[in-house]
Amino acid sequence: MTGSNTNVAPTTSTQAPAERLRITEIFHSIQGEADAIGWRTVFVRLTGCPLRCVWCDTEYSFYGGDWRAIDDIVADVASHGAKHVCVTGGEPLAQKRCLILLKRLCDAGYDVSLETSGALDVSPVDPRVRKVMDLKAPDSGEAARNLWSNLEHLLPHDQVKIVIASRADYEWARDVVAEHRITERCMVLFSPVHGAIKPCELAEWIIEDKLDVRFQLQLHKLLWNDEPGH
């Protein structure tokens, strides 16, 4: 990333004191997934999630956290001098004021992405935000929570991510992508569950079926395993 990418507009302090969010952590790292992979990124992890995927690697975000004013969150993001910001969780949309944070970050000139479970309505999300929306496969234990109407609100710059733990998950993912013609809407990402299946197996299935989906590994786990703060 060049130095010019860090020039973002100053923010203003216009929201009421009540506009706060419960935050698990804010950290500066390398984006490990989706189309922004490899970019230096500030991650804002909101606390709380209504889902309990069996392979979740951020269970520490389910509880606790600290209430922080949105002004304070935006100032913390600015202190890292990165162009890219990822709002994640937990499930960030479980806190309604997340929508305010997303707008504030976009207004400030950041390249903003939102990682969301796909179980909550994404229609109110600022259209400047790149949504990285999960569809939960059966082995997650949460496939019944997929809100299929969300597909209608995806834009070409958005992405659908399906985390795959088995051959059965893969076949489910392959079939729903075809049934809903998701690749005609946006990029589709297939990602193996870390430690559940061999990444090469998933890659070979995609090649064998000639799918127009993008295989991905979690770069941050290759670099730092599960070390906190990355």
Side-chain angles (χ1 to χ4, degrees):
M1 182 167 63
T2 65
S4 61
N5 285 337
T6 63
N7 294 328
V8 297
T11 58
T12 58
S13 301
T14 57
Q15 81 279 358
E19 291 182 346
R20 301 185 302 163
L21 289 165
R22 187 176 285 277
I23 300 295
T24 293
E25 58 184 351
I26 297 175
F27 61 95
H28 181 211
S29 187
I30 297 293
Q31 175 58 268
E33 299 186 73
D35 70 342
I37 190 169
W39 285 113
R40 191 165 57 84
T41 300
V42 179
F43 294 83
V44 181
R45 188 181 305 284
L46 275 63
T47 306
C49 183
L51 280 69
R52 291 295 182 268
C53 300
V54 298
W55 36 251
C56 181
D57 57 2
T58 54
E59 292 179 344
Y60 62 91
S61 69
F62 291 169
Y63 309 104
D66 297 311
W67 285 106
R68 296 183 62 174
I70 291 179
D71 268 348
D72 179 46
I73 297 167
V74 174
D76 195 335
V77 169
S79 72
H80 297 287
K83 172 68 173 174
H84 296 265
V85 182
C86 178
V87 177
T88 186
E91 168 49 73
L93 294 179
Q95 298 189 52
K96 293 182 179 178
R97 294 189 184 96
C98 176
L99 299 174
I100 299 172
L101 174 63
L102 293 169
K103 183 178 185 304
R104 289 281 307 278
L105 292 170
C106 289
D107 289 347
Y110 294 103
D111 186 333
V112 181
S113 60
L114 168 71
E115 294 182 339
T116 179
S117 66
L120 301 181
D121 182 13
V122 301
S123 64
V125 173
D126 190 303
R128 295 171 292 179
V129 173
R130 295 196 328 281
K131 299 181 287 291
V132 182
M133 190 187 84
D134 286 0
L135 285 178
K136 300 299 184 185
D139 285 1
S140 71
E142 293 285 13
R145 304 292 294 273
N146 289 319
L147 185 60
W148 294 100
S149 60
N150 274 336
L151 293 176
E152 300 174 7
H153 304 293
L154 296 177
L155 300 173
H157 66 189
D158 294 330
Q159 295 132 74
V160 166
K161 183 179 75 173
I162 305 178
V163 178
I164 293 170
S166 65
R167 175 72 192 187
D169 269 2
Y170 168 77
E171 293 178 357
W172 179 91
R174 179 194 61 196
D175 294 346
V176 299
V177 167
E179 178 185 353
H180 296 278
R181 305 171 69 174
I182 301 174
T183 57
E184 297 178 17
R185 297 178 181 273
C186 64
M187 181 188 300
V188 177
L189 306 160
F190 279 13
S191 183
V193 174
H194 188 65
I197 60 172
K198 294 180 180 179
C200 64
E201 286 184 312
L202 176 57
E204 289 166 0
W205 296 337
I206 292 171
I207 294 169
E208 182 179 358
D209 286 338
K210 301 178 180 177
L211 301 187
D212 291 326
V213 303
R214 189 169 177 178
F215 170 85
Q216 71 166 5
L217 293 175
Q218 293 176 300
L219 177 61
H220 51 291
K221 290 192 175 179
L222 296 175
L223 293 172
W224 295 292
N225 199 7
D226 280 330
E227 185 177 337
H230 298 288

